[in-house]
Amino acid sequence: MKPRIAPERFRAMFEPRGVLVAGVSTHPAKFGFVALHNIVTQGYEGAVYGTNRDGGEVLGVPMVTSLEELPGDVPIDLVFVCTPASANVELLRACAARGIGAAFLTSAGYGEAGAEGRQAEAALVALADELGILLAGPNGQGVVSTPARLCAQIVAPYPPPGGIGIASQSGNFVSSFQNYARSSGVGVSRAVSAGNAAALTIPDYLEYYASDPATRVGLAYVEGIADGRAFFDRARQVTAQMPLVVLKGGTTRGGERAAASHTGALASDDRVFDGMCRQAGITRAANVEEAFDTAATFSTQPLPRGPRVAVVTTAGGWGVVTADAITRSELELVGLPESLRVAIDERLPPRWSRNNPIDLAGGETRDTIPEVLELVADSPQVDAIIYLGLGIQSNQARLLREGRFGGDPGIERVVAYHERQDARFARAAAEVSEASGKPVLTATELALADPANAGPATVRATGRYCSPTAQRAVAALEHLWRYARFRQRRGLL
Amino acid sequence: VSAKHARATRRTLSEAESKVLLLDYGVRCVPDRVVATAQAAVAAAGELGYPVVAKLSGERIAHKTERGLVRLALGGPEQVEAAAVELLAAAVPDDGDVALLVAPMLRATRELIVGLHDDPQFGRCIMVGFGGVLAEAVADVAFRLAPIDATDAHEMLDDLTAAAILGPVRGEPAVDRDAVVAVLLGLSRLAVDRPDVVSVDVNPLLIVAGVPIAVDALVEMRT
């Protein structure tokens, strides 16, 4: 099954050679100002023009009062529309005449605004169709494309580049996910707030992302689904190509409409949606954090080949709690193979746990952690590793440096050593994963409590995701395993 | 379409007719007899062997247990006759044509429910879960959109929270998962072949010596 919209057509929206902002304002609180500001300050290198009533320049960008004033030799592919609904029919016609292939409409007053609005929206969709313009929105917050350094949105933030492709029926969830991307360092390829999704719908964007080399995982927020069967069929095509994480909003309703059958009574919207996700290979997240955790993990870790997890920890309690979480999940806390036990024995004093979780119990020396990570990853009985304890020494180092004895050469030497070691461990986690082709996840609350700590800071520098808790890492890894298993069982290798 | 209109364009098949339809799709049903009188019920029970179950069956009878129209573990001719007389007397004019259904009493500790439902958003879907009179209260069920394949059907069973119950339990062998999967695939074929079937309930689908056997079934048709 081919995508509904040919992927090449999306280039006008996500890789535009030039952008026109329609309805530019000089007032910094107005959308028509904010959109222009965000486009010109976040690194976009294509041509930028605006329309307003007076011409001149705003933020150094040339303004035109009519599209005929635009220079003929500058290619413009995308119009970002901040004008009122009443102006948009004429605007789209002029844009089409100028060769513009895509329009993002922030304008309100359409489908969300009563019968008249719905009529205007239907007319707009028909017009865009006739003109051959890809129409995003209306009533959306914007579009982001980091490969093009494009931040065409009326909200913040602009995320770091990365492999997550976002499509959302709620603009503010685009912001939420991008905020998580900023704080975790795991970045975004493309993002779009679908607004009323009058013409382009969530599956349209996801199909494009699936064909997009910059996108490794789709992340979608959906509420109402107009045609459930088509959503299912198209989502299944998407998941054959890349993982797709979906967060579903909307209250669940019981099956009160079909009292004659037990099956009908049990067929709540949520249960049917959940079954549809399992069948389509969609990764359904329970909440916003889980949605981002999981997308970030898909984006930065290889898929596990099996469910067997080893926990490597320098702190006993964390290992125990993580083992509990694994036991409750569809993952498996693997029993340590004898050969691995012997190999670790050679590197650690006898007080280490000698089982999984592999609790080093403070017996580690300078090189132990990278060596143990490598040994564990090399074991054919282990499919994935969760590594805990990153950043503990650097946390103390911070107190030493900031305390009143900071600056003492002896103290500074130890501070530097601790931070070097944590940075090394974080790099080892990434390198071991790279070399073995197995997921190696890190988790510490320092990712939130002290993002500058050398542990989580280095995880970010390696392009990986440091989970704020081990439980969240387990939940994300479980989703990776379910998706890997979905592919294995259906011969999608 | 108003709820009233929707009801007016649907009709249910009797339990006996429902089972005939399901049998065409490979759903094994308990071998029961449909009879008109108490005397015929006694004769049928004698042929089937005691103990038996007697039920009142009719096109417009949906929730038999709730109405007290199911009599279990009838151990001899006198009990069958008494139950049959009571059941026939319990019929109300709204039930339309009724008959007695006599079936051997199967013993099982595990009951499943399987069904077909036409979802307004996703269309026809197949369900499996833990069944019996508490099926709706327990609500441990899994859905998929029809058609499904064997992988989907196996995964539906894995989805059940109490999936461990499908293993060996209290001296009974593990549930023959392939046999349950075959029932689900049969329902899936029915969903594809028969657009006039609006819903199917098989509850309970008893697990007898590991094998699923439909003991009660209700099919709803579009007219």
Side-chain angles (χ1 to χ4, degrees):
Chain A
M1 198 167 79
K2 274 193 191 159
R4 190 176 76 95
I5 312 275
E8 308 82 68
R9 292 191 65 201
F10 276 100
R11 288 188 66 84
M13 187 171 298
F14 290 104
E15 306 270 355
R17 291 167 297 174
V19 179
L20 175 70
V21 180
V24 169
S25 166
T26 53
H27 193 301
K30 300 275 190 196
F31 291 159
F33 180 93
V34 171
L36 184 69
H37 171 271
N38 290 350
I39 292 167
V40 298
T41 58
Q42 301 304 309
Y44 179 65
E45 285 170 350
V48 182
Y49 291 88
T51 71
N52 66 4
R53 284 203 199 96
D54 311 317
E57 279 195 358
V58 177
L59 296 172
V61 172
M63 296 293 126
V64 296
T65 57
S66 148
L67 266 61
E68 285 146 29
E69 297 165 34
L70 290 169
D73 55 344
V74 181
I76 296 175
D77 294 317
L78 172 66
V79 60
F80 193 87
V81 180
C82 300
T83 44
S86 57
N88 290 342
V89 169
E90 202 184 323
L91 174 70
L92 283 194
R93 287 195 183 281
C95 286
R98 186 61 179 68
I100 289 175
F104 191 100
L105 269 72
T106 63
S107 321
Y110 287 101
E112 81 289 357
E116 219 167 293
R118 280 194 295 278
Q119 215 163 34
E121 187 169 288
L124 191 75
V125 171
L127 177 66
D129 209 33
E130 172 202 323
L131 298 173
I133 287 182
L134 270 191
L135 181 80
N139 199 25
Q141 296 193 343
V143 56
V144 161
S145 177
T146 58
R149 304 184 71 179
L150 177 69
C151 178
Q153 52 177 1
I154 55 176
V155 288
Y158 181 63
I164 303 176
I166 300 169
S168 174
Q169 276 184 323
S170 152
N172 289 313
F173 270 120
V174 179
S175 291
S176 298
F177 292 140
Q178 293 186 145
N179 282 326
Y180 283 125
R182 244 171 68 83
S183 68
S184 69
V186 176
V188 169
S189 55
R190 329 278 186 179
V192 68
S193 144
N196 295 356
L200 289 175
T201 61
I202 298 290
D204 292 327
Y205 298 114
L206 295 175
E207 281 175 349
Y208 167 67
Y209 294 163
S211 75
D212 171 27
T215 302
R216 287 190 288 274
V217 53
L219 173 56
Y221 172 77
V222 297
E223 283 175 11
I225 293 172
D227 182 347
R229 194 50 75 139
F231 184 92
F232 168 71
D233 288 336
R234 298 173 75 188
R236 197 146 63 157
Q237 298 292 321
V238 168
T239 61
Q241 296 168 79
M242 69 171 182
L244 169 60
V245 180
V246 168
L247 178 65
K248 167 85 158 63
T251 49
T252 57
R253 186 164 41 82
E256 72 280 358
R257 59 191 165 243
S261 82
H262 295 291
T263 306
L266 284 160
S268 66
D269 290 354
D270 194 64
R271 292 199 189 103
V272 174
F273 185 82
D274 209 64
M276 183 278 294
C277 287
R278 293 292 187 107
Q279 194 174 0
I282 293 171
T283 299
R284 187 182 181 192
N287 53 55
V288 186
E289 295 86 355
E290 189 178 302
F292 186 80
D293 287 343
T294 305
T297 307
F298 270 123
S299 180
T300 59
Q301 298 281 353
L303 286 183
R305 286 183 283 269
R308 300 164 302 176
V309 184
V311 179
V312 176
T313 178
T314 55
W318 292 346
V320 174
V321 167
T322 307
D324 290 345
I326 290 170
T327 307
R328 282 193 296 268
S329 76
E330 291 180 33
L331 298 167
E332 185 189 313
L333 190 70
V334 63
L336 276 200
E338 187 53 31
S339 57
L340 187 54
R341 202 188 320 257
V342 170
I344 298 174
D345 267 338
E346 284 169 17
R347 283 164 182 81
L348 281 173
R351 68 171 180 276
W352 78 280
S353 63
R354 301 180 52 79
N355 212 330
N356 187 14
I358 301 165
D359 178 2
L360 308 182
E364 63 271 21
T365 56
R366 208 188 145 80
D367 300 318
T368 317
I369 288 173
E371 284 173 7
V372 169
L373 285 176
E374 197 176 338
L375 282 173
V376 177
D378 284 345
S379 166
Q381 269 88 4
V382 173
D383 298 309
I385 297 175
I386 296 179
Y387 164 43
L388 310 170
L390 192 62
I392 296 178
Q393 300 306 323
S394 299
N395 206 26
Q396 176 55 36
R398 184 176 60 83
L399 275 196
L400 287 171
R401 191 177 53 234
E402 291 173 1
R404 65 193 159 94
F405 304 105
D408 170 86
I411 285 180
E412 286 303 307
R413 213 167 31 249
V414 168
V415 166
Y417 173 73
H418 285 332
E419 293 183 337
R420 257 198 328 273
Q421 282 292 85
D422 274 319
R424 215 180 133 210
F425 301 159
R427 277 197 304 276
E431 285 160 11
V432 162
S433 169
E434 191 80 34
S436 64
K438 298 176 183 178
V440 179
L441 279 65
T442 56
T444 165
E445 73 286 352
L446 289 164
L448 295 179
D450 186 13
N453 178 295
T458 308
V459 175
R460 284 197 301 280
T462 63
R464 302 245 170 176
Y465 183 60
C466 188
S467 180
T469 72
Q471 289 91 327
R472 284 168 62 175
V474 170
L477 185 58
E478 184 183 20
H479 281 309
L480 262 65
W481 163 234
R482 283 179 170 185
Y483 178 65
R485 189 178 59 190
F486 176 88
R487 296 189 68 88
Q488 287 173 9
R489 285 178 176 165
R490 287 158 181 83
L492 300 164
L493 298 169
Chain B
V1 180
S2 73
K4 197 174 168 186
H5 179 66
R7 267 200 303 277
T9 59
R10 292 176 177 197
R11 70 183 178 98
T12 51
L13 298 186
S14 72
E15 180 178 337
E17 291 172 306
S18 296
K19 285 175 176 169
V20 167
L21 175 63
L22 289 170
L23 207 56
D24 279 350
Y25 289 91
V27 181
R28 199 173 141 192
C29 299
V30 65
D32 48 24
R33 307 283 170 88
V34 183
V35 295
T37 66
Q39 288 90 325
V42 171
E47 287 166 29
L48 291 167
Y50 292 95
V52 297
V53 180
K55 307 186 225 182
L56 193 67
S57 165
E59 279 189 10
R60 275 138 71 181
I61 300 177
H63 294 289
K64 287 188 281 286
T65 303
E66 288 82 343
R67 285 185 51 197
L69 301 181
V70 180
R71 302 299 161 89
L72 302 173
L74 306 172
E78 302 78 17
Q79 287 164 285
V80 172
E81 182 170 7
V85 168
E86 281 173 28
L87 287 171
L88 288 169
V92 295
D94 261 3
D95 291 338
D97 291 338
V98 297
L100 290 164
L101 207 140
V102 184
M105 171 91 190
L106 298 178
R107 298 267 170 209
T109 48
R110 289 170 292 192
E111 301 178 328
L112 300 183
I113 178 171
V114 298
L116 186 163
H117 164 71
D118 198 1
D119 185 77
Q121 199 167 23
F122 289 100
R124 295 169 161 256
C125 44
I126 306 297
M127 184 192 80
V128 66
F130 289 100
V133 289
L134 296 180
E136 284 184 38
V138 172
D140 189 359
V141 293
F143 283 87
R144 294 292 187 274
L145 311 191
I148 57 171
D149 63 21
T151 305
D152 296 323
H154 276 286
E155 288 181 345
M156 290 171 79
L157 295 176
D158 294 337
D159 278 0
L160 300 178
T161 308
I165 293 176
L166 302 175
V169 168
R170 298 176 65 93
E172 285 192 49
V175 172
D176 181 345
R177 289 175 61 116
D178 289 337
V180 178
V181 165
V183 168
L184 295 173
L185 294 178
L187 276 184
S188 173
R189 282 197 306 279
L190 190 153
V192 173
D193 291 355
R194 296 292 299 263
D196 55 331
V197 171
V198 179
S199 79
V200 175
D201 260 350
V202 178
N203 185 34
L205 182 72
L206 281 192
I207 303 298
V208 179
V211 177
I213 297 176
V215 168
D216 196 355
L218 180 66
V219 173
E220 207 183 350
M221 311 284 291
R222 193 171 282 120
T223 53

